[in-house]
Coordinates of all heavy atoms in Angstrom, one line a residue:
L1442 N 201.5 61.3 230.8 CA 200.7 60.4 230.1 C 200.4 59.2 231.0 O 201.3 58.6 231.6 CB 201.4 59.9 228.8 CG 201.9 60.9 227.9 CD1 202.7 60.3 226.7 CD2 200.8 61.8 227.3
V1443 N 199.1 58.9 231.2 CA 198.7 57.9 232.2 C 197.6 57.0 231.6 O 196.7 57.4 230.9 CB 198.0 58.6 233.4 CG1 197.6 57.6 234.4 CG2 199.0 59.6 234.0
D1444 N 197.8 55.7 231.9 CA 196.9 54.7 231.5 C 195.8 54.5 232.6 O 196.2 54.2 233.7 CB 197.6 53.4 231.3 CG 196.7 52.2 231.0 OD1 195.5 52.3 230.8 OD2 197.3 51.0 230.9
T1445 N 194.6 54.8 232.3 CA 193.5 54.8 233.3 C 193.3 53.4 233.9 O 192.9 53.3 235.0 CB 192.2 55.3 232.8 OG1 191.8 54.5 231.7 CG2 192.3 56.7 232.3
E1446 N 193.7 52.3 233.2 CA 193.6 51.0 233.8 C 194.5 50.8 235.0 O 194.1 50.1 235.9 CB 194.1 49.9 232.7 CG 193.1 49.7 231.6 CD 191.8 49.0 232.0 OE1 191.8 48.3 233.1 OE2 190.8 49.1 231.3
T1447 N 195.6 51.5 235.1 CA 196.5 51.5 236.2 C 195.9 52.2 237.4 O 196.0 51.7 238.6 CB 197.8 52.2 235.9 OG1 198.4 51.6 234.7 CG2 198.8 52.0 237.0
L1448 N 195.2 53.3 237.2 CA 194.6 54.0 238.4 C 193.2 53.7 238.7 O 192.7 54.0 239.8 CB 194.8 55.5 238.1 CG 196.2 56.0 238.0 CD1 196.2 57.5 237.6 CD2 197.0 55.8 239.2
G1449 N 192.4 53.3 237.7 CA 191.0 52.9 238.0 C 190.1 54.1 238.0 O 190.4 55.2 237.7
V1450 N 188.8 53.8 238.3 CA 187.8 54.8 238.4 C 187.9 55.7 239.6 O 188.2 55.3 240.7 CB 186.4 54.1 238.4 CG1 185.3 55.1 238.6 CG2 186.2 53.2 237.2
G1451 N 187.8 57.0 239.3 CA 187.9 58.0 240.4 C 188.4 59.3 240.0 O 188.5 59.6 238.8
I1452 N 188.7 60.1 240.9 CA 189.3 61.5 240.7 C 190.8 61.4 240.7 O 191.4 60.9 241.7 CB 188.8 62.5 241.8 CG1 187.3 62.5 242.0 CG2 189.4 63.9 241.6 CD1 186.6 63.2 240.8
Y1453 N 191.4 61.9 239.7 CA 192.9 61.9 239.6 C 193.5 63.2 240.1 O 193.0 64.3 239.9 CB 193.4 61.7 238.2 CG 193.0 60.3 237.6 CD1 193.3 60.0 236.3 CD2 192.4 59.3 238.4 CE1 193.0 58.8 235.8 CE2 192.1 58.1 237.9 CZ 192.4 57.8 236.5 OH 192.1 56.6 236.0
M1454 N 194.6 63.0 240.9 CA 195.3 64.1 241.5 C 196.8 64.0 241.1 O 197.2 62.9 240.7 CB 195.1 64.2 243.0 CG 193.7 64.3 243.5 SD 192.9 65.9 243.1 CE 193.8 66.9 244.2
L1455 N 197.5 65.1 241.4 CA 198.9 65.1 241.1 C 199.7 65.6 242.2 O 199.3 66.6 242.9 CB 199.1 66.0 239.9 CG 200.3 65.8 238.9 CD1 200.1 64.6 238.1 CD2 200.3 67.0 238.0
K1456 N 200.8 65.0 242.5 CA 201.8 65.5 243.5 C 203.1 65.5 242.8 O 203.6 64.6 242.3 CB 201.9 64.5 244.7 CG 202.9 65.0 245.8 CD 202.9 64.1 247.0 CE 203.9 63.0 246.8 NZ 204.1 62.2 248.0
V1457 N 203.7 66.7 242.8 CA 205.0 66.9 242.2 C 206.0 67.3 243.2 O 205.8 68.2 244.0 CB 205.0 68.0 241.1 CG1 206.3 68.1 240.3 CG2 203.8 67.8 240.1
V1458 N 207.2 66.6 243.2 CA 208.2 66.8 244.2 C 209.4 67.4 243.4 O 210.0 66.7 242.6 CB 208.6 65.5 245.0 CG1 209.8 65.8 245.9 CG2 207.4 64.9 245.7
F1459 N 209.8 68.6 243.7 CA 210.9 69.4 243.1 C 212.1 69.3 244.0 O 212.0 69.3 245.2 CB 210.5 70.8 242.9 CG 209.4 71.0 241.9 CD1 208.1 71.2 242.3 CD2 209.6 71.0 240.5 CE1 207.0 71.4 241.4 CE2 208.6 71.2 239.6 CZ 207.3 71.4 240.1
E1460 N 213.3 69.3 243.4 CA 214.5 69.4 244.1 C 215.1 70.8 243.8 O 215.8 71.0 242.8 CB 215.5 68.3 243.7 CG 215.0 67.0 244.0 CD 216.0 65.9 243.5 OE1 217.0 66.2 242.9 OE2 215.6 64.7 243.8
I1461 N 214.8 71.8 244.7 CA 215.2 73.2 244.5 C 216.6 73.3 245.0 O 216.9 73.0 246.1 CB 214.3 74.1 245.3 CG1 212.8 73.9 245.0 CG2 214.7 75.6 245.1 CD1 212.4 74.2 243.6
P1462 N 217.5 73.8 244.1 CA 218.9 74.0 244.5 C 219.0 74.9 245.8 O 218.4 76.0 245.8 CB 219.6 74.7 243.3 CG 218.7 74.4 242.2 CD 217.3 74.3 242.7
D1463 N 219.8 74.5 246.8 CA 219.9 75.3 248.0 C 221.2 74.8 248.7 O 221.2 73.7 249.2 CB 218.7 75.1 248.9 CG 218.7 76.1 250.0 OD1 219.7 76.5 250.5 OD2 217.6 76.6 250.4
T1464 N 222.2 75.6 248.7 CA 223.5 75.2 249.3 C 223.4 75.1 250.9 O 224.3 74.5 251.5 CB 224.6 76.2 249.0 OG1 224.2 77.5 249.4 CG2 224.8 76.2 247.5
D1465 N 222.4 75.6 251.5 CA 222.2 75.4 252.9 C 221.9 74.0 253.4 O 222.0 73.7 254.5 CB 221.2 76.4 253.5 CG 221.6 77.8 253.4 OD1 222.8 78.1 253.4 OD2 220.7 78.7 253.3
Y1466 N 221.5 73.2 252.4 CA 221.1 71.8 252.7 C 222.2 70.8 252.4 O 222.9 71.0 251.4 CB 219.8 71.4 252.0 CG 218.6 72.1 252.5 CD1 218.3 73.4 252.2 CD2 217.7 71.4 253.4 CE1 217.1 74.0 252.8 CE2 216.6 72.0 254.0 CZ 216.3 73.3 253.6 OH 215.2 73.9 254.2
P1467 N 222.4 69.8 253.2 CA 223.5 68.8 253.0 C 223.6 68.2 251.6 O 224.7 68.0 251.1 CB 223.3 67.7 254.0 CG 222.4 68.4 255.1 CD 221.6 69.4 254.4
L1468 N 222.4 68.0 251.0 CA 222.5 67.4 249.6 C 222.5 68.4 248.5 O 222.6 68.0 247.3 CB 221.2 66.5 249.4 CG 221.1 65.3 250.3 CD1 219.8 64.6 250.1 CD2 222.3 64.3 250.1
G1469 N 222.5 69.7 248.9 CA 222.6 70.8 247.9 C 221.3 71.2 247.3 O 221.2 72.0 246.4
Y1470 N 220.2 70.6 247.8 CA 218.8 71.0 247.4 C 217.9 70.7 248.5 O 218.1 70.0 249.4 CB 218.4 70.2 246.1 CG 218.2 68.7 246.4 CD1 217.0 68.2 246.8 CD2 219.3 67.8 246.2 CE1 216.8 66.8 247.1 CE2 219.1 66.4 246.5 CZ 217.9 66.0 246.9 OH 217.7 64.6 247.1
R1471 N 216.7 71.4 248.4 CA 215.6 71.2 249.3 C 214.4 70.7 248.5 O 214.2 71.0 247.3 CB 215.3 72.4 250.1 CG 214.6 73.5 249.3 CD 214.3 74.7 250.2 NE 213.6 75.7 249.5 CZ 214.1 76.7 248.8 NH1 215.4 76.8 248.6 NH2 213.3 77.6 248.2
R1472 N 213.6 69.8 249.1 CA 212.4 69.3 248.5 C 211.3 70.3 248.6 O 211.1 70.9 249.7 CB 212.0 68.0 249.1 CG 212.9 66.9 248.7 CD 212.5 65.5 249.3 NE 211.3 65.6 250.1 CZ 210.5 64.6 250.3 NH1 210.7 63.5 249.7 NH2 209.4 64.7 251.0
Q1473 N 210.6 70.5 247.5 CA 209.4 71.3 247.6 C 208.3 70.4 247.0 O 208.4 70.0 245.8 CB 209.5 72.6 246.8 CG 208.2 73.4 246.9 CD 208.4 74.9 246.4 OE1 209.5 75.4 246.5 NE2 207.4 75.5 245.9
V1474 N 207.2 70.2 247.7 CA 206.1 69.4 247.3 C 204.9 70.3 246.9 O 204.5 71.2 247.6 CB 205.6 68.4 248.4 CG1 204.4 67.6 247.9 CG2 206.8 67.5 248.8
V1475 N 204.4 70.0 245.7 CA 203.3 70.8 245.2 C 202.1 69.8 244.8 O 202.4 68.9 244.1 CB 203.7 71.6 243.9 CG1 202.5 72.4 243.3 CG2 204.8 72.6 244.2
R1476 N 201.0 70.1 245.3 CA 199.8 69.2 245.0 C 198.9 70.0 244.0 O 198.7 71.2 244.2 CB 199.0 68.9 246.2 CG 199.8 68.0 247.2 CD 198.9 67.5 248.3 NE 199.8 66.7 249.3 CZ 200.1 65.5 249.1 NH1 199.7 64.8 248.1 NH2 200.9 64.9 250.1

Side-chain angles (χ1 to χ4, degrees):
L1442 305 176
V1443 179
D1444 175 5
T1445 59
E1446 287 288 341
T1447 305
L1448 297 177
V1450 173
I1452 304 290
Y1453 292 176
M1454 300 293 288
L1455 207 67
K1456 179 177 90 172
V1457 186
V1458 179
F1459 295 97
E1460 295 177 0
I1461 306 296
D1463 193 327
T1464 57
D1465 292 334
Y1466 286 80
L1468 295 175
Y1470 67 88
R1471 70 178 186 276
R1472 289 180 0 151
Q1473 180 167 332
V1474 177
V1475 177
R1476 295 191 185 275

